[in-house]
Amino acid sequence: MNESRRRLPLLGGDGHSGGSRSSMTCLYRCANACDHPAPNTSANEYFGDQVEAEVTRRGVLKAGSAGAIALGFAGATAGVAAGAAAGAAPAFAGPAESAAAEGFSAASLHASGGPAALTFAPIPPNTLDNLVVPNGYDHNVIIRWGDEVVPGAPDFDPAAQTGASQSKQFGYNNDFVAVLPLGRGHDRALLVCNHEYTNENLMFPGFTTLDALSDEQVRAAIAAHGLSVVELERVGHTGQWQVVTRGRRPYNRRITALETVFAVTGPAAGSALLKTAADPTGKRVVGTLNNCAGGVTPWGTILSGEENWNQYFVGGDGVPEEAKPALNRYGVSTTARYPADSRRWDRVDARFDLTANPTEVNRFGWIVEIDPFDPGSTPRKHTAMGRFKHEGANVIVADSGHVVAYMGDDERFDYMYKFVSTRKIAHGDSYWARKQNLTLLESGDLYVAKLDFTSAAEIDGTGKLPTDGAFNGTGTWLPLVKDGRSMVTGWTVEQVLVFTRQAADAVGATKMDRPEDVEPNPVNRKIYAALTNNTARGTTTGRGALADEANPRNANKHGHILELTEDGGDHTGTTFSWAIPIVCGDPADPSTYFMGYDKTKVSPISCPDNVAFDSKGNLWISTDGNGLLSNDGLFATALSGPEAGHLKQFLTVPRGAETCGPFIATDNKTVFAAVQHPGELTGASFDKPASTWPDGDYSKPGIVGVWRLDGKPVGS
Ligand code: FEO
Ligand code: CA
Ligand code: CA
Ligand code: CA
């Protein structure tokens, strides 16, 4: 155990990364990818004390057994129809019928409707160890780490977890959330979640060091990665959802890093770069790792990004010298057999030892596609979409019928990408249409973004707007693979797809400030990217980059949102324009910007991570690593009309957590969010938790649903 882990739990983190992220999170989530410590300040605790005191003074704080808090509202659960809808187990609808019945055709995600006012009263920043929602709303914890997923899963016992038990239970550190209507009614759904990473300090009673874990505990940790599919039912006619706990639940499924087999698709499938001793075909990979954000396709499948997979491999010092630059470009250590705080999964599975299995690492870093409506289906890794630290992928159907996926590579100074399918979407709800659509991501063109600037000379790194009043410009999608051919001189298609970062380096892509979620807005069809932060911008000698118009602040601590508009509305095209609608931070900070809206009325926001849209096209933003000494949260703003830029905070998550997901139900009656890594503060452990959310004992990641007590659509 290193010195930093012996300190007492800190409120709000110790500022290890760009925001206020605790160094424990940096260690477990991304193996200290942003190793730029900044001192903690006494303002941290002072700020939290101030908020708690104010809330208490107003006499409106209300905590329930599951951590329910409604600020400014008493009787949060009054008026909610209690209990599950009674009756027989839900009828089984076949996979194809089920997806089709709920309208997962090409048009279904093209929501209509103009801007709608977000009428909720914003909640204040706070450091409470609870989930906080606006006045007039309530929430429930739908599922948490250790809950049953596969019917018959063993009861959760953190002192006796095994790979087998965890493989049937809800995994750790839920990130992406999707809720897909199931059947023909409006009262059943499938919840699909990613489980990004584990924090063994917080998972195992008596934890001392990673090396001291038993092999069975290591297997449990591996199995706590992956995804979960869980059937939900609506409570009464409300926006509240709960897990179905009876009947066959045929869709319920765990996909794990321990044993789930993935098929590899696309041009690099079967490549020598992907072959291993255990898989001489190069087409079958066990497991998925560090699944962060994702997206829902128009044909009803889930895309999930394999992000910080580099940290799971040891033995990088023993690979051939010529293999080391590629490993280094992806953050895999090549200087020590066991980098500091290695998870040591090689103890139970030699494929995590690069010295023995140097190509296993190439089998991670992909977009994976899961069909939750076909529980027997083999999940796939799509090589045509490139290999990097994939945050996620979100698809829009172009006017031509091709499908276009937008993707971010979440690393400081890395890139934004898009994929354009070779084939066109098949419309209609037939079995054959869906079968065809399931192949759309297996072949296509891959591009990386190069941004050009209109006011480059005026960018001084402070965030000061240029004289034309906007950070904006034009851009080009640079082809990496097109029409089945490599567009990178001297590179094969397989090399471009497996070593996509270096290929993008070679064509001159634009270095961005940690591009995370990149998602098309289904209403205005523009693309929105969360650029989380980059404190190394403009401050790193010999690498990185100075501020530019698209990343306009040096030492960018709070991040920003980029809006991208494809020229002519053609998502398959190669030119676009871009602008920055939101520059995050404390609105009192002159470098912030909120679409020109009155800054005295907007909520402070820091470190945007995931973006989502409701059916009206409003932008929802979740945060990871709040650098303003408040808990992370979820925010929303209209993007057009008089309320454009009126960003308001909708919820905050408990101490030490980041907010993920988020997912707004298609009927706008429920906001789903993932509470990831509650209590992950330096010095915390299972036995000495920094958060007791959600059950009052020790911290457990979980999924919450938030709904409006009067039954009206959320936010409007
Ligand atoms: Fe897993 Fe980029 O956050
Ligand atoms: Ca993320
Ligand atoms: Ca998203
Ligand atoms: Ca994040």
Short mmCIF file of all heavy atoms in Angstrom, two decimals, residues 244-288:
data_model
loop_
_atom_site.label_atom_id
_atom_site.label_comp_id
_atom_site.label_asym_id
_atom_site.label_seq_id
_atom_site.Cartn_x
_atom_site.Cartn_y
_atom_site.Cartn_z
N VAL A 244 -37.57 -6.75 -11.80
CA VAL A 244 -38.48 -7.89 -11.70
C VAL A 244 -37.78 -8.98 -10.90
O VAL A 244 -36.63 -9.33 -11.20
CB VAL A 244 -38.86 -8.41 -13.10
CG1 VAL A 244 -39.73 -9.67 -13.00
CG2 VAL A 244 -39.57 -7.32 -13.90
N THR A 245 -38.45 -9.49 -9.88
CA THR A 245 -37.80 -10.47 -9.00
C THR A 245 -38.50 -11.82 -9.03
O THR A 245 -38.25 -12.67 -8.19
CB THR A 245 -37.78 -9.96 -7.55
OG1 THR A 245 -39.13 -9.67 -7.14
CG2 THR A 245 -36.92 -8.72 -7.43
N ARG A 246 -39.36 -12.05 -9.99
CA ARG A 246 -40.07 -13.33 -10.05
C ARG A 246 -40.08 -13.81 -11.50
O ARG A 246 -39.79 -13.04 -12.42
CB ARG A 246 -41.50 -13.15 -9.54
CG ARG A 246 -42.28 -12.20 -10.41
CD ARG A 246 -43.61 -11.75 -9.83
NE ARG A 246 -44.31 -10.91 -10.80
CZ ARG A 246 -44.00 -9.65 -11.06
NH1 ARG A 246 -43.02 -9.07 -10.43
NH2 ARG A 246 -44.66 -8.96 -11.99
N GLY A 247 -40.41 -15.08 -11.66
CA GLY A 247 -40.56 -15.62 -13.00
C GLY A 247 -39.21 -15.96 -13.64
O GLY A 247 -38.16 -15.92 -13.01
N ARG A 248 -39.27 -16.29 -14.92
CA ARG A 248 -38.07 -16.80 -15.61
C ARG A 248 -37.04 -15.71 -15.90
O ARG A 248 -35.85 -15.96 -15.93
CB ARG A 248 -38.49 -17.44 -16.94
CG ARG A 248 -39.19 -18.78 -16.79
CD ARG A 248 -39.61 -19.30 -18.17
NE ARG A 248 -38.48 -19.31 -19.11
CZ ARG A 248 -38.52 -18.79 -20.34
NH1 ARG A 248 -39.62 -18.22 -20.77
NH2 ARG A 248 -37.46 -18.85 -21.12
N ARG A 249 -37.49 -14.54 -16.21
CA ARG A 249 -36.59 -13.42 -16.56
C ARG A 249 -35.54 -13.84 -17.59
O ARG A 249 -34.34 -13.81 -17.33
CB ARG A 249 -35.93 -12.87 -15.29
CG ARG A 249 -36.92 -12.17 -14.37
CD ARG A 249 -36.39 -12.01 -12.98
NE ARG A 249 -36.49 -13.27 -12.24
CZ ARG A 249 -35.84 -13.54 -11.12
NH1 ARG A 249 -35.01 -12.66 -10.63
NH2 ARG A 249 -36.00 -14.69 -10.51
N PRO A 250 -36.03 -14.26 -18.76
CA PRO A 250 -35.12 -14.88 -19.73
C PRO A 250 -34.06 -13.94 -20.30
O PRO A 250 -33.04 -14.41 -20.81
CB PRO A 250 -36.07 -15.34 -20.84
CG PRO A 250 -37.26 -14.45 -20.71
CD PRO A 250 -37.42 -14.20 -19.24
N TYR A 251 -34.27 -12.63 -20.19
CA TYR A 251 -33.28 -11.71 -20.76
C TYR A 251 -32.14 -11.41 -19.78
O TYR A 251 -31.12 -10.86 -20.19
CB TYR A 251 -33.95 -10.38 -21.14
CG TYR A 251 -35.03 -10.53 -22.19
CD1 TYR A 251 -36.37 -10.48 -21.83
CD2 TYR A 251 -34.70 -10.72 -23.52
CE1 TYR A 251 -37.37 -10.60 -22.79
CE2 TYR A 251 -35.69 -10.85 -24.49
CZ TYR A 251 -37.02 -10.79 -24.11
OH TYR A 251 -37.99 -10.91 -25.06
N ASN A 252 -32.38 -11.70 -18.51
CA ASN A 252 -31.36 -11.33 -17.52
C ASN A 252 -30.05 -12.04 -17.82
O ASN A 252 -30.01 -13.25 -18.02
CB ASN A 252 -31.84 -11.68 -16.11
CG ASN A 252 -32.85 -10.68 -15.59
OD1 ASN A 252 -33.56 -10.03 -16.37
ND2 ASN A 252 -32.92 -10.53 -14.28
N ARG A 253 -28.97 -11.28 -17.81
CA ARG A 253 -27.70 -11.82 -18.28
C ARG A 253 -26.53 -11.04 -17.71
O ARG A 253 -26.60 -9.81 -17.61
CB ARG A 253 -27.69 -11.71 -19.82
CG ARG A 253 -26.46 -12.26 -20.47
CD ARG A 253 -26.56 -12.08 -21.98
NE ARG A 253 -25.50 -12.82 -22.65
CZ ARG A 253 -25.24 -12.77 -23.94
NH1 ARG A 253 -25.97 -12.01 -24.73
NH2 ARG A 253 -24.26 -13.47 -24.47
N ARG A 254 -25.52 -11.71 -17.34
CA ARG A 254 -24.24 -11.08 -17.04
C ARG A 254 -23.26 -11.39 -18.17
O ARG A 254 -23.14 -12.54 -18.61
CB ARG A 254 -23.64 -11.62 -15.72
CG ARG A 254 -24.01 -10.89 -14.42
CD ARG A 254 -23.75 -9.38 -14.39
NE ARG A 254 -22.47 -8.95 -14.97
CZ ARG A 254 -21.31 -8.99 -14.34
NH1 ARG A 254 -21.24 -9.39 -13.09
NH2 ARG A 254 -20.21 -8.59 -14.93
N ILE A 255 -22.59 -10.35 -18.61
CA ILE A 255 -21.48 -10.49 -19.54
C ILE A 255 -20.25 -10.08 -18.74
O ILE A 255 -20.26 -8.99 -18.14
CB ILE A 255 -21.71 -9.61 -20.78
CG1 ILE A 255 -22.86 -10.21 -21.61
CG2 ILE A 255 -20.44 -9.44 -21.59
CD1 ILE A 255 -23.44 -9.27 -22.62
N THR A 256 -19.25 -10.91 -18.69
CA THR A 256 -18.12 -10.63 -17.78
C THR A 256 -16.79 -10.67 -18.52
O THR A 256 -16.68 -11.17 -19.64
CB THR A 256 -18.06 -11.66 -16.63
OG1 THR A 256 -17.60 -12.91 -17.17
CG2 THR A 256 -19.41 -11.85 -15.96
N ALA A 257 -15.78 -10.16 -17.82
CA ALA A 257 -14.41 -10.27 -18.32
C ALA A 257 -13.85 -11.66 -18.03
O ALA A 257 -12.79 -12.02 -18.54
CB ALA A 257 -13.53 -9.21 -17.66
N LEU A 258 -14.56 -12.43 -17.22
CA LEU A 258 -14.04 -13.72 -16.78
C LEU A 258 -14.28 -14.82 -17.80
O LEU A 258 -13.40 -15.64 -18.04
CB LEU A 258 -14.71 -14.10 -15.45
CG LEU A 258 -14.16 -15.31 -14.71
CD1 LEU A 258 -12.73 -15.06 -14.26
CD2 LEU A 258 -15.04 -15.63 -13.50
N GLU A 259 -15.49 -14.84 -18.41
CA GLU A 259 -15.79 -16.03 -19.21
C GLU A 259 -16.65 -15.80 -20.44
O GLU A 259 -16.80 -16.71 -21.25
CB GLU A 259 -16.47 -17.09 -18.33
CG GLU A 259 -17.72 -16.58 -17.63
CD GLU A 259 -18.22 -17.57 -16.58
OE1 GLU A 259 -17.51 -18.55 -16.31
OE2 GLU A 259 -19.32 -17.35 -16.04
N THR A 260 -17.20 -14.62 -20.64
CA THR A 260 -18.06 -14.43 -21.80
C THR A 260 -17.22 -14.37 -23.08
O THR A 260 -16.26 -13.59 -23.17
CB THR A 260 -18.87 -13.13 -21.67
OG1 THR A 260 -19.58 -13.16 -20.44
CG2 THR A 260 -19.84 -12.98 -22.83
N VAL A 261 -17.59 -15.17 -24.07
CA VAL A 261 -16.84 -15.20 -25.33
C VAL A 261 -17.43 -14.18 -26.30
O VAL A 261 -18.65 -14.11 -26.49
CB VAL A 261 -16.87 -16.60 -25.95
CG1 VAL A 261 -16.23 -16.60 -27.34
CG2 VAL A 261 -16.17 -17.59 -25.03
N PHE A 262 -16.56 -13.36 -26.89
CA PHE A 262 -16.93 -12.37 -27.90
C PHE A 262 -16.42 -12.83 -29.26
O PHE A 262 -15.32 -13.37 -29.38
CB PHE A 262 -16.28 -11.01 -27.58
CG PHE A 262 -16.94 -10.27 -26.47
CD1 PHE A 262 -16.83 -10.70 -25.16
CD2 PHE A 262 -17.68 -9.12 -26.72
CE1 PHE A 262 -17.45 -10.01 -24.12
CE2 PHE A 262 -18.29 -8.41 -25.70
CZ PHE A 262 -18.18 -8.86 -24.39
N ALA A 263 -17.23 -12.59 -30.27
CA ALA A 263 -16.78 -12.79 -31.65
C ALA A 263 -16.16 -11.49 -32.15
O ALA A 263 -16.66 -10.40 -31.85
CB ALA A 263 -17.95 -13.18 -32.53
N VAL A 264 -15.07 -11.60 -32.88
CA VAL A 264 -14.42 -10.43 -33.46
C VAL A 264 -14.93 -10.28 -34.90
O VAL A 264 -14.92 -11.25 -35.66
CB VAL A 264 -12.89 -10.56 -33.45
CG1 VAL A 264 -12.23 -9.31 -34.00
CG2 VAL A 264 -12.40 -10.85 -32.04
N THR A 265 -15.36 -9.08 -35.28
CA THR A 265 -15.85 -8.85 -36.64
C THR A 265 -14.94 -7.85 -37.34
O THR A 265 -14.12 -7.18 -36.71
CB THR A 265 -17.28 -8.27 -36.64
OG1 THR A 265 -17.21 -6.86 -36.37
CG2 THR A 265 -18.17 -8.96 -35.62
N GLY A 266 -15.15 -7.72 -38.63
CA GLY A 266 -14.52 -6.64 -39.38
C GLY A 266 -13.17 -7.01 -39.95
O GLY A 266 -12.68 -8.13 -39.81
N PRO A 267 -12.53 -6.03 -40.58
CA PRO A 267 -11.32 -6.30 -41.36
C PRO A 267 -10.16 -6.86 -40.55
O PRO A 267 -9.30 -7.56 -41.12
CB PRO A 267 -10.96 -4.93 -41.93
CG PRO A 267 -12.23 -4.17 -41.95
CD PRO A 267 -13.00 -4.64 -40.77
N ALA A 268 -10.08 -6.56 -39.24
CA ALA A 268 -8.93 -7.07 -38.47
C ALA A 268 -9.22 -8.42 -37.82
O ALA A 268 -8.33 -9.00 -37.20
CB ALA A 268 -8.50 -6.05 -37.42
N ALA A 269 -10.45 -8.91 -37.95
CA ALA A 269 -10.75 -10.24 -37.39
C ALA A 269 -9.87 -11.28 -38.07
O ALA A 269 -9.73 -11.29 -39.29
CB ALA A 269 -12.22 -10.57 -37.60
N GLY A 270 -9.25 -12.12 -37.29
CA GLY A 270 -8.40 -13.16 -37.85
C GLY A 270 -7.00 -12.68 -38.20
O GLY A 270 -6.17 -13.47 -38.64
N SER A 271 -6.73 -11.40 -37.98
CA SER A 271 -5.39 -10.87 -38.25
C SER A 271 -4.37 -11.50 -37.32
O SER A 271 -4.67 -11.85 -36.17
CB SER A 271 -5.42 -9.35 -38.06
OG SER A 271 -4.15 -8.86 -37.71
N ALA A 272 -3.14 -11.59 -37.80
CA ALA A 272 -2.06 -12.09 -36.95
C ALA A 272 -1.92 -11.22 -35.70
O ALA A 272 -1.49 -11.70 -34.65
CB ALA A 272 -0.74 -12.10 -37.72
N LEU A 273 -2.28 -9.96 -35.82
CA LEU A 273 -2.18 -9.06 -34.68
C LEU A 273 -3.12 -9.45 -33.55
O LEU A 273 -2.94 -9.02 -32.41
CB LEU A 273 -2.48 -7.63 -35.12
CG LEU A 273 -1.51 -7.02 -36.14
CD1 LEU A 273 -2.07 -5.71 -36.71
CD2 LEU A 273 -0.16 -6.77 -35.48
N LEU A 274 -4.14 -10.25 -33.88
CA LEU A 274 -5.13 -10.62 -32.87
C LEU A 274 -5.05 -12.10 -32.49
O LEU A 274 -5.84 -12.56 -31.66
CB LEU A 274 -6.55 -10.31 -33.37
CG LEU A 274 -6.86 -8.84 -33.66
CD1 LEU A 274 -8.34 -8.65 -33.97
CD2 LEU A 274 -6.47 -7.95 -32.49
N LYS A 275 -4.15 -12.84 -33.10
CA LYS A 275 -4.05 -14.27 -32.78
C LYS A 275 -3.23 -14.47 -31.51
O LYS A 275 -2.23 -13.79 -31.28
CB LYS A 275 -3.43 -15.02 -33.95
CG LYS A 275 -4.34 -15.09 -35.17
CD LYS A 275 -3.66 -15.81 -36.32
CE LYS A 275 -4.61 -15.89 -37.52
NZ LYS A 275 -3.96 -16.45 -38.72
N THR A 276 -3.67 -15.44 -30.72
CA THR A 276 -2.92 -15.81 -29.52
C THR A 276 -2.80 -17.33 -29.48
O THR A 276 -3.45 -18.03 -30.27
CB THR A 276 -3.65 -15.35 -28.24
OG1 THR A 276 -4.91 -16.05 -28.15
CG2 THR A 276 -3.90 -13.85 -28.24
N ALA A 277 -2.00 -17.80 -28.54
CA ALA A 277 -1.85 -19.26 -28.41
C ALA A 277 -3.20 -19.89 -28.10
O ALA A 277 -3.53 -20.97 -28.62
CB ALA A 277 -0.84 -19.57 -27.31
N ALA A 278 -3.99 -19.21 -27.28
CA ALA A 278 -5.29 -19.78 -26.90
C ALA A 278 -6.33 -19.61 -28.00
O ALA A 278 -7.32 -20.34 -28.03
CB ALA A 278 -5.78 -19.12 -25.61
N ASP A 279 -6.13 -18.66 -28.87
CA ASP A 279 -7.08 -18.41 -29.95
C ASP A 279 -6.33 -18.23 -31.27
O ASP A 279 -6.11 -17.10 -31.73
CB ASP A 279 -7.93 -17.17 -29.66
CG ASP A 279 -8.80 -16.80 -30.86
OD1 ASP A 279 -9.18 -17.72 -31.63
OD2 ASP A 279 -9.08 -15.60 -31.03
N PRO A 280 -5.94 -19.33 -31.90
CA PRO A 280 -5.20 -19.21 -33.17
C PRO A 280 -6.05 -18.65 -34.30
O PRO A 280 -5.51 -18.30 -35.36
CB PRO A 280 -4.77 -20.66 -33.46
CG PRO A 280 -5.64 -21.53 -32.61
CD PRO A 280 -6.06 -20.72 -31.43
N THR A 281 -7.38 -18.53 -34.10
CA THR A 281 -8.22 -17.94 -35.15
C THR A 281 -8.15 -16.41 -35.12
O THR A 281 -8.47 -15.76 -36.12
CB THR A 281 -9.70 -18.32 -34.98
OG1 THR A 281 -10.24 -17.66 -33.82
CG2 THR A 281 -9.86 -19.83 -34.83
N GLY A 282 -7.81 -15.82 -33.98
CA GLY A 282 -7.86 -14.36 -33.87
C GLY A 282 -9.26 -13.82 -33.98
O GLY A 282 -9.46 -12.66 -34.34
N LYS A 283 -10.24 -14.64 -33.67
CA LYS A 283 -11.64 -14.23 -33.85
C LYS A 283 -12.52 -14.47 -32.63
O LYS A 283 -13.73 -14.22 -32.68
CB LYS A 283 -12.26 -14.99 -35.04
CG LYS A 283 -11.66 -14.63 -36.38
CD LYS A 283 -12.34 -15.41 -37.50
CE LYS A 283 -11.78 -14.98 -38.85
NZ LYS A 283 -12.37 -15.75 -39.96
N ARG A 284 -11.94 -14.97 -31.57
CA ARG A 284 -12.74 -15.25 -30.36
C ARG A 284 -11.99 -14.75 -29.14
O ARG A 284 -10.91 -15.23 -28.82
CB ARG A 284 -13.01 -16.76 -30.23
CG ARG A 284 -14.01 -17.29 -31.24
CD ARG A 284 -14.04 -18.81 -31.21
NE ARG A 284 -14.44 -19.34 -29.91
CZ ARG A 284 -15.71 -19.46 -29.51
NH1 ARG A 284 -16.68 -19.08 -30.30
NH2 ARG A 284 -16.00 -19.97 -28.33
N VAL A 285 -12.58 -13.78 -28.45
CA VAL A 285 -11.92 -13.16 -27.30
C VAL A 285 -12.76 -13.43 -26.05
O VAL A 285 -13.99 -13.25 -26.08
CB VAL A 285 -11.77 -11.64 -27.50
CG1 VAL A 285 -11.12 -11.00 -26.27
CG2 VAL A 285 -10.96 -11.35 -28.75
N VAL A 286 -12.11 -13.82 -24.99
CA VAL A 286 -12.82 -13.97 -23.72
C VAL A 286 -12.85 -12.60 -23.03
O VAL A 286 -11.80 -12.02 -22.73
CB VAL A 286 -12.12 -15.00 -22.81
CG1 VAL A 286 -12.82 -15.05 -21.44
CG2 VAL A 286 -12.13 -16.37 -23.47
N GLY A 287 -14.06 -12.10 -22.81
CA GLY A 287 -14.24 -10.95 -21.95
C GLY A 287 -14.15 -9.60 -22.62
O GLY A 287 -13.69 -9.44 -23.75
N THR A 288 -14.62 -8.61 -21.86
CA THR A 288 -14.56 -7.21 -22.24
C THR A 288 -14.08 -6.45 -21.01
O THR A 288 -14.36 -6.86 -19.89
CB THR A 288 -15.93 -6.72 -22.76
OG1 THR A 288 -15.82 -5.39 -23.24
CG2 THR A 288 -17.00 -6.79 -21.68
#
